[in-house]
């Protein structure tokens, strides 16, 4: 009887140890990452520190309940204590957080999401090319994509010598609010579709790319392509860039739970969602600026070409610098600081 009891006890102990080993294997890479956060607190924003603390204390609570005397419990307790001290010391955030959010957090997030940004751009560019080729080879394609009403109105404007008259048909302030609302709606729609593994957002990017390619080709077919490009890209540089960048945020959200890597699916999803939301928040000034330009400047086709081209070039430089160049510069700066 005693032998059976001892065997049963040994089985329970062995089972418990195996579960502990599994627990450690599932989370060891995450803990290494969190340990790096604790060791380099000054290089992380308060939001990242708060997320790290939540993850550590959640695992610590589980470990205390199931393995109270284990070394891993002691390790997690020490890790949580070290981070708690840092959080308490920096509990009162300064107003400078608002500045660092735009100057550091958004660029850092974009560097982490650089692959998603590249995928989003490639998808949009390829779909735009499809729109161009389709429009060139099918006379009815433009009507299919842009609608009969818009095509007929535009043809009438072209005949009257005012191909871009559509931008002068509403009150500027009314247009601003309508366009800003539409930009916000499209941006959040693209992001939200990331829940469906990015497939939904990919479809939206594809449709918008085809539409842009068709739109531009249609105007070139009627010999007003140059004027249309200046008018459209005056605001479109920011507007289209925002859609592509929103696509990167959406892919970050979808990839978080689709490809968790060594992290738990829940943790990876939360991190992907956080990354995506930061990217979307960083787009607020972009689509508001696009709405302002489209409402107040695009309608003035009488403005000198060099003036409008300079705005397009400036907009393009701003987008490339803030979303591509600055993230790389900050990453190099952080890498040097760590070394």
């Amino acid at each position: 009887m005693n032998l059976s009891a001892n065997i049963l006890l040994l089985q329970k102990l062995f089972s418990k140890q195996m579960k502990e080993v599994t627990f450690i294997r599932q989370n060891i890479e995450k803990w290494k990452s969190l340990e790096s956060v604790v060791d380099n607190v000054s290089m992380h924003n308060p939001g990242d520190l708060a997320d790290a603390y939540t993850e550590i204390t959640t695992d610590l609570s589980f470990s205390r309940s199931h393995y109270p005397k284990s070394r891993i419990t002691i390790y997690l307790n020490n890790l949580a204590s070290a981070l708690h001290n840092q959080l308490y010391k920096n509990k009162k955030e300064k107003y400078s957080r608002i500045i660092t959010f735009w100057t550091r957090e958004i660029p850092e997030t974009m560097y982490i999401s650089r692959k998603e940004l590249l995928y989003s751009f490639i998808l949009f560019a390829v779909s735009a090319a499809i729109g161009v080729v389709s429009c060139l080879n099918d006379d009815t394609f433009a009507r299919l994509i842009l609608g009969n009403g818009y095509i007929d109105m535009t043809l009438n404007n072209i005949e009257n010598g005012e191909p871009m008259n559509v931008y002068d048909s509403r009150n500027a302030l009314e247009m601003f609010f309508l366009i800003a609302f539409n930009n916000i709606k499209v941006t959040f729609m693209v992001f939200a579709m990331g829940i469906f593994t990015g497939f939904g957002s990919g479809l939206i990017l594809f449709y918008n790319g085809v539409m842009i390619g068709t739109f531009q080709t249609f105007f070139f077919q009627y010999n007003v392509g140059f004027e249309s490009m200046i008018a459209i890209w005056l605001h479109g540089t920011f507007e289209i860039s925002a859609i592509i960048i929103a696509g990167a945020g959406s892919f970050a959200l979808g990839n978080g739970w689709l490809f968790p890597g060594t992290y738990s699916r829940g943790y990876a999803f939360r991190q992907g969602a956080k990354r995506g939301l930061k990217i979307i928040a960083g787009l607020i000034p972009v689509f508001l600026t696009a709405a302002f330009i489209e409402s107040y400047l695009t309608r003035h086709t009488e403005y000198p070409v060099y003036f409008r081209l300079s705005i397009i070039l400036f907009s393009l430089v701003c987008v490339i610098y803030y979303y591509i160049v600055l993230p790389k510069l900050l990453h190099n700066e952080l890498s040097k600081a760590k070394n």
Side-chain angles (χ1 to χ4, degrees):
M1 189 70 178
N2 289 335
L3 180 60
S4 298
N6 288 334
I7 291 174
L8 184 61
L9 178 61
L10 286 172
Q11 287 177 336
K12 288 183 177 179
L13 288 173
F14 180 74
S15 176
K16 185 176 182 181
Q17 288 177 343
M18 289 304 297
K19 288 180 179 178
E20 183 180 354
V21 170
T22 302
F23 172 64
I24 294 172
R25 284 179 177 175
Q26 288 178 340
N27 295 282
I28 187 66
E29 293 300 325
K30 179 178 71 174
W31 294 335
K32 287 180 181 179
S33 177
L34 294 173
E35 187 176 343
S36 176
V37 172
V38 175
D39 291 340
N40 300 279
V41 170
S42 61
M43 297 182 182
H44 296 274
N45 62 72
D48 289 337
L49 297 179
D51 287 344
Y53 185 71
T54 300
E55 290 294 329
I56 294 171
T57 52
T58 299
D59 290 341
L60 175 60
S61 178
F62 180 86
S63 186
R64 278 176 174 169
S65 298
H66 295 82
Y67 324 110
K69 297 181 180 180
S70 171
R71 289 184 179 180
I72 199 62
T73 301
I74 297 173
Y75 165 76
L76 290 172
N77 185 66
N78 291 337
L79 199 60
S81 297
L83 187 53
H84 176 270
N85 292 335
Q86 292 294 337
L87 286 172
Y88 182 78
K89 184 172 67 176
N90 297 305
K91 191 174 182 180
K92 294 182 179 178
E93 293 184 24
K94 299 179 180 179
Y95 290 110
S96 60
R97 169 73 194 283
I98 299 175
I99 298 174
T100 57
F101 176 79
W102 298 102
T103 58
R104 299 195 72 88
E105 292 184 38
I106 296 296
E108 287 171 6
T109 302
M110 290 308 306
Y111 183 81
I112 297 172
S113 308
R114 61 192 182 281
K115 288 185 179 179
E116 288 89 346
L117 180 61
L118 177 61
Y119 300 151
S120 184
F121 173 77
I122 291 174
L123 176 58
F124 188 89
V126 170
S127 59
I130 292 173
V132 172
V133 173
S134 300
C135 191
L136 288 173
N137 289 279
D138 186 350
D139 294 337
T140 64
F141 189 76
R143 290 185 176 275
L144 176 66
I145 299 298
L146 303 175
N148 289 322
Y150 183 84
I151 293 295
D152 292 338
M153 178 192 66
T154 302
L155 289 175
N156 184 58
N157 289 338
I158 292 173
E159 289 178 4
N160 295 330
E162 298 177 336
M164 297 293 105
N165 192 48
V166 63
Y167 294 106
D168 196 27
S169 58
R170 289 179 179 267
N171 174 269
L173 184 61
E174 180 185 357
M175 276 191 69
F176 172 78
F177 285 110
L178 287 173
I179 294 168
F181 175 78
N182 183 68
N183 289 347
I184 293 171
K185 182 182 71 173
V186 172
T187 301
F188 276 92
M189 188 183 300
V190 171
F191 173 69
M193 286 297 179
I195 296 175
F196 304 105
T197 69
F199 179 76
S201 53
L203 285 177
I204 296 176
L205 283 169
F206 180 80
Y207 173 75
N208 279 275
V210 170
M211 186 171 64
I212 287 295
T214 303
F215 190 83
Q216 284 288 198
T217 305
F218 171 76
F219 279 100
F220 271 101
Q221 287 177 323
Y222 285 88
N223 301 315
V224 287
F226 181 72
E227 177 57 35
S228 72
M229 285 188 66
I230 295 178
I232 293 165
W233 290 100
L234 195 64
H235 60 271
T237 304
F238 279 129
E239 190 172 82
I240 300 303
S241 297
I243 293 175
I244 295 172
I245 295 165
S250 177
F251 291 149
L253 173 65
N255 290 343
W257 70 269
L258 191 62
F259 305 110
T262 57
Y263 299 111
S264 67
R265 199 171 297 277
Y267 177 79
F269 176 75
R270 289 193 297 274
Q271 291 301 105
K274 179 183 174 184
R275 246 197 314 146
L277 284 172
K278 272 191 178 181
I279 291 173
I280 298 302
L283 288 173
I284 294 175
V286 178
F287 53 64
L288 288 179
T289 302
F292 176 83
I293 294 174
E294 186 171 357
S295 305
Y296 289 93
L297 296 179
T298 302
R299 64 179 58 218
H300 292 290
T301 56
E302 75 279 5
Y303 284 173
V305 172
Y306 70 85
F307 172 74
R308 292 186 289 166
L309 283 175
S310 65
I311 294 177
I312 294 173
L313 180 60
F314 177 75
S315 302
L316 183 62
V317 169
C318 287
V319 170
I320 292 175
Y321 178 78
Y322 187 73
Y323 287 99
I324 299 176
V325 177
L326 182 59
K328 179 64 176 177
L329 293 176
L330 288 178
H331 173 73
N332 292 339
E333 180 185 321
L334 287 172
S335 297
K336 289 180 181 179
K338 288 179 181 179
N339 296 331

